[in-house]
Amino acid sequence: MASVRFLLNGEVVEAKDVDPTRTLLEHLRGDLRRTGTKEGCAEGDCGSCTVLVGELEGEGPNSKVAWRAVNSCIQFVPMLDGKAVISVEGLGKDEPHPVQAAMVEHHGSQCGFCTPGIVMSLYGRAVAAKGADAPVDEVLAGNLCRCTGYGPIIAAAETIQPEAAPDVARELADLRRDQALALDYADPIAGLTRRWFAPLSVDELAATYAAHPDAVIVAGATDIGLWVTKLRKPLKTLIDIGRVDALKTIAREDGRLRIGAGVRYVDALEMLSERYPDLGAMMRRLGSTQVRNSGTIGGNIANGSPIGDMPPALIAAGASLVLRRWNERRTIPLEDFFIAYGKQDRVPGEFVEAVLVPEPAPNALFKVFKLSKRFDQDISAVCGAFNIRIVDEVVTEARIAYGGMAGTPKRATACEEALVGQLWNRTTIHAAVEALAGDFTPLTDARASAAYRAMTAGNMLRKVFIESARPDLETRVPEAAHG
Amino acid sequence: MADSGAKLVEPVVFQGVHASLPHDSALRHVSGAAIYVDDIPEPPGLLHVHLGMSQKAHARIVSMDLSAVRASPGVVTVLTAQDIPGENDVSPVIHDDRLFADGEVVCVGQSLFAVAATSIAAARAAAAKAVVEYEDLPAAITIGQAREADLKIEASQRMARGDAAAALAASPRRLQGAFAIGGQDHFYLEGQVALATPREGGDVHIWSSTQHPSEVQHLVAHVLAVPSSAVTVEVRRMGGGFGGKETQASLFAAAAALVAVKTGRPAKARPDRDEDMVMTGKRHDFEIGYDVGFDDEGRLTGLSLELASRCGSTTDLSMAINDRAMFHADNCYFLPAVEIVSHRFKTHTVSNTAFRGFGGPQGMAAIEHVMDAVAQAAGLDPLEVRRRNLYGGEGRNLTPYHQTVEDNVAPQLLAELAASCDYEARQRGIDAYNARSPVLKKGLALTPVKFGISFTTTHLNQAGALLHLYADGSILLNHGGTEMGQGLFVKVAQIVAEAFKVGVDRVKVSSTVTDKVPNTSATAASSGTDLNGMAALNAANTIKARLIEFAAKKWGCAQGDVEFTPEGLRAGAELVPFEVLCRQAHLARVSLSSTGFYATPKIHYDRKTHTGRPFYYFAYGAACSEVLIDTLTGEMKVTRVDILHDAGRSINPAIDLGQIEGGFVQGMGWLTTEELVFSADGRLLTHAPSTYKIPTCGDRPAVMNIALWEAGRNVEETVHRSKAVGEPPLMLALSVLSAVNRAVASVADHKVFPALDAPATPERILMAVEDVKRRAAP
């Protein structure tokens, strides 16, 4: 029987006969009795369960350990195989770690329940974990605290000095697998055998998926995790694509970026941000550091959600999608992937291999607006993305896409038509906003009303115009307040 | 305080009360070593309890077939109302909250039955197999629907002074308006949880995450039909409470206890976040109507106020909560002639409950809204209108409930804060900014807080403590207060340390447990330190008196020459280290243990007439908030906040500042991003942090200047002249709502008063902006 092995606070632990959908948090608290890590929501939104996960990246002498703060409540145990985990118990064994001491000194804890997660996020910042080289607000956006109002925590964070993360490269090299991990688990409650496959190559993935076309593909589990912890779906077969290094690369080719389906937000942020600053700004508000450290752009597309934030932005950018089944590949415009709510252009056994993002066109305005009740770490009520090319005051090209306005991420074709060929002026904008009403019939839900969605969708276009016509004006409420 | 084995060394510089000591558990919090109920090592044979929930808002249960539940893998027992040996009740006041529904359900999420299984997954999977047949009954979900059906938890209440109707009729100016304030989920990071262990003879011990261990004890005893002495409830700490664990913990504790007693096995009940949010009560949402008379200077002449709240399906604490809303509808303002009518509507939604402020915030929101409306109508600066209406001066100190305000410091606080935050210049600067900024608009508002301290149910204002000095000089302190993060334990430890002039590390505060201190009140109403600190001080003083008597005899001096000092006990010329003193006293057969008790003096209240002196004193504060809104999207950011707060002579300034900032940000969340949405059929749609948005780090204003009011002294004889600080700061956040209102109004140059309900979500702000534009259009 295969088992999962990982490094916990420097020591190898082995999980035998583990339910592949048991979460790391359940495993830590329930099986390993490390109860410092807390469950606040079990859906990756509160950060009380934050731990650092280290994984070996690269080959041979160039390989090094990359650390990431993640929500252990939505990481499945097999995803940790061959990785290193640091939980709060791993810090300050003899005397408090500087992060812990700073939190005490600045009165950074009250009830203390969120505190271990906050300590881990701040420790991640100290050791330059992925995505942690950012303002405190951004680093902590995924750590909710209900007591302090955050001020004392920010004060503590500001005193923290950089330090080296533990070097566990050799230990991880020892744990590295040269064969795909495959687990079987008899679930006595659901009365089924659950299977977990973690292929190592794209070919192996293609073969495995073809053999198990009913399997669920897991990348970062920031969505699938909730199928288990919230929807309590008894999943039967899962294929983890997180071991397929070839899917985790970003390549520059033919005037575009090829982003592998397994690339996590955090790893794409810089390259996308350089090309599309507004997309970068939106991505920094998408989920939290922990979510961006786990979730993948491919997953955000493949799950077909009408409220994923990446699809509208990527559609506006003119991205296309590479789908693969066995050895057959096809490339389609990203917007064509989304057929209807819950329905995508993907046949059984076919998976997203990469997304292709063109370089920005010259003379193009590229704007993204993400509207949500809360600024950070909130699912959008409306996400609008605008790629408008203007030559000599005339709109020559317009790609406009919205999330949250329909059952799928969708282009605003009537609105685009009202723009193209017209002078880039107030009259045109007025007409384009009118046209937008014909593009969408938004819904009312807990996040926003249909009226608000419709109104802001139009106002976003107005704002694009104002920002281009009057660059001197302040038009956006500022982001991160705390460095 | 200290871990066992900690060195009992007195600090070089003595620090007792008024010192900014860290939270007693701070080191354990940051290291993950602080034990919460779910962290306690699971005893062998533990059963996990899951509660089956109603899917209907209001229905008759036609049948409930649980055979598949019982047959499900891992299930050990399934319990329903028929299995309760005692009373089927987990309510705090009037016996109307069922442990398990009996024949009828009154809200979605109501507990129907308990499944106990070998794992929580097995219990949940089993519960999903229940076949429940309902027959729908008419359901009122909203305040409006309850109003229409005339469903109330009690008769509407009226509080009045003077003849409001006549005053309104005679007022030079008059306006009417209405607005609504949303509810709020507590979102304590640690959810509800209880771990029950059976003991011999049918007794049971329960670890509960509760603010009210005595009530849990009494209710569990009634459920089990055993005397209270057979039930022990223990609380070391909560991962947040905020009122949400005052009454709401009982359901889970009772379910766990019942399973434990029925099966003879330990049992844990821990709903997950979504279950917790669906099943437990929240802050009451309110609809407010007002009719206000005023003069050209913005002085109120008469006010008729109507408060309507959604109480949910049962009474819970709604009577006292709505009373407190009435008590705070004056805030800091003298209302010459006033009538406050309060409707307590019964709805088929989860029963709303205590939440930091306990109705006070809603009452205060009402009058602050009125102040803003009057200022707009009179064309005056809102702060000026507020100042003109403050209590103070001859014949202007009587509240609507006929208590005289004797400790009014609001005028000084407002003046000092207005000066320190540069209110006037910033207000002018904002007008200039708004004139040149078409998309973004700023707003600034400064509002005061006056919050009444004492449980308005007079008998609750009592507390007990139990203090042991051991012969080695270590001190063990127990009291009836519970620690939920507010720093109560360290503050009371400081009070005891101060009494003996020992280092606070010498005072170990252990868990709150009903077999040590009986019949306690909830740790609520901001009263924790006032009550328990005084009870502990009384216990310390009893032991001190014994030690002084002993020392005078032992070392041959007058009792007046015995003094506790940081170096040890001084008895005449003798300096006796504290541990030597304890050892010697023990050898001389002096009792080193004492209980302590305290009951708040002076207070009385007649609920029939809503008159009396419900409050021992008032806590005050003031806040100035600046906001920035986006008039195209409704997005909003609070950019700067200045707070001046009166904590009296603070027992622990760092802890108090933490309460102020935390309370403010929590209040800001209530008024901005935290929105509870129910479907038409009574389902809570926002039952997880994915949809219910409490403030994050980035929502904290970039500039937050928070100060304790240096001059603060309680005029009443509270413990070390401190003031309660748990709830009052939450209401400082009303300045945010007023500031947003100003920013919205600026869109039409303050010509019309915005219709902005709370929470001021981006959607509400944008719609208010559009509405203002429409109404101001020529």
Side-chain angles (χ1 to χ4, degrees), chain A residues 38 230 232 374 449 463, chain B residues 39 272 274 630 694 763:
Chain A
K38 309 299 183 196
K230 295 288 154 167
R232 311 200 197 286
R374 188 173 69 191
S449 71
K463 193 182 270 196
Chain B
D39 301 337
D272 76 0
D274 300 64
D630 181 331
I694 72 169
E763 173 160 354

Side-chain angles (χ1 to χ4, degrees), chain A residues 66-379:
Chain A
W67 292 93
R68 291 174 166 82
V70 305
N71 291 311
S72 62
C73 69
I74 47 172
Q75 291 272 306
F76 298 131
V77 172
M79 294 168 69
L80 279 307
D81 186 65
K83 296 182 186 173
V85 175
I86 304 177
S87 70
V88 69
E89 290 89 353
L91 298 192
K93 279 175 181 155
D94 301 316
E95 59 181 30
H97 182 274
V99 167
Q100 295 169 320
M103 282 286 285
V104 172
E105 187 184 338
H106 293 275
H107 306 277
S109 72
Q110 287 185 22
C111 86
F113 200 83
C114 72
T115 312
I118 284 176
V119 164
M120 293 314 296
S121 282
L122 293 181
Y123 175 66
R125 197 179 197 225
V127 300
K130 290 259 185 179
D133 177 22
V136 180
D137 285 340
E138 206 174 302
V139 175
L140 291 181
N143 289 91
L144 299 180
C145 168
R146 192 54 153 166
C147 295
T148 63
Y150 300 100
I153 297 167
I154 295 164
E158 283 167 355
T159 69
I160 291 165
Q161 300 297 313
E163 63 176 275
D167 182 10
V168 292
R170 189 171 339 138
E171 288 88 337
L172 292 188
D174 289 347
L175 290 176
R176 200 194 285 247
R177 249 172 230 284
D178 50 14
Q179 283 189 339
L181 175 69
L183 300 168
D184 281 357
Y185 173 79
D187 182 339
I189 298 165
L192 56 80
T193 294
R194 181 161 301 127
R195 309 190 72 185
W196 178 276
F197 298 98
L200 299 179
S201 68
V202 186
D203 289 347
E204 210 178 356
L205 164 63
T208 309
Y209 199 23
H212 303 277
D214 60 337
V216 171
I217 292 188
V218 181
T222 55
D223 188 26
I224 309 288
L226 276 66
W227 295 15
V228 173
T229 63
K230 295 288 154 167
L231 304 179
R232 311 200 197 286
K233 279 192 193 172
L235 301 176
K236 196 166 185 312
T237 309
L238 300 99
I239 302 174
D240 171 13
I241 66 165
R243 306 288 156 167
V244 184
D245 286 342
L247 288 182
K248 292 200 273 190
T249 57
I250 305 179
R252 230 174 291 186
E253 54 168 52
D254 315 330
R256 62 193 185 188
L257 291 180
R258 182 190 167 93
I259 301 174
V263 171
R264 286 161 279 200
Y265 295 106
V266 67
D267 295 316
L269 207 154
E270 194 181 319
M271 292 184 90
L272 287 174
S273 202
E274 280 169 5
R275 288 161 177 79
Y276 299 100
D278 252 28
L279 171 55
M282 181 272 277
M283 286 175 74
R284 280 188 286 273
R285 289 172 55 204
L286 186 156
S288 59
T289 302
Q290 293 94 318
V291 168
R292 293 189 295 272
N293 276 338
S294 304
T296 62
I297 293 169
N300 196 235
I301 294 167
N303 73 10
S305 167
I307 47 176
D309 282 329
M310 292 304 290
L314 293 175
I315 289 169
S320 44
L321 204 58
V322 180
L323 293 154
R324 178 167 168 182
R325 180 172 170 272
W326 268 115
N327 288 323
E328 293 164 31
R329 284 194 180 86
R330 62 191 177 109
T331 301
I332 59 170
L334 179 55
E335 58 263 41
D336 292 350
F337 180 65
F338 305 101
I339 297 168
Y341 179 76
K343 190 170 192 295
Q344 296 88 42
D345 179 10
R346 191 164 68 89
V347 298
E350 192 175 41
F351 60 92
V352 174
E353 188 175 30
V355 55
L356 309 174
V357 185
E359 297 286 341
N363 306 322
L365 287 173
F366 188 87
K367 306 268 185 186
V368 182
F369 300 104
K370 172 176 167 62
L371 272 192
S372 47
K373 269 184 211 170
R374 188 173 69 191
F375 195 77
D376 284 315
Q377 212 219 151
D378 195 359
I379 291 167

Side-chain angles (χ1 to χ4, degrees), chain B residues 321 324-325 328-329 357-365 451 731 734:
Chain B
I321 290 164
R324 191 168 273 269
H328 288 81
F358 203 75
Q362 296 94 319
M364 219 178 272
F451 193 75
M731 286 148 273
L734 289 166

Side-chain angles (χ1 to χ4, degrees), chain B residues 23-24 483-492 529 655 659:
Chain B
H23 192 283
D24 61 279
E483 177 61 49
M484 62 196 95
Q486 82 279 44
L488 171 67
F489 279 16
V490 70
K491 284 168 106 176
V492 181
T529 305
I655 295 284
Q659 288 297 297

Side-chain angles (χ1 to χ4, degrees), chain B residues 214 217-218 462 514 517-521:
Chain B
S214 282
Q217 175 201 19
H218 299 160
Q462 57 172 311
T514 55
V517 179
N519 307 316
T520 55
S521 293

Side-chain angles (χ1 to χ4, degrees), chain B residues 76 207 442 517 570 658:
Chain B
V76 172
W207 283 104
K442 291 180 180 178
V517 179
R570 199 171 289 284

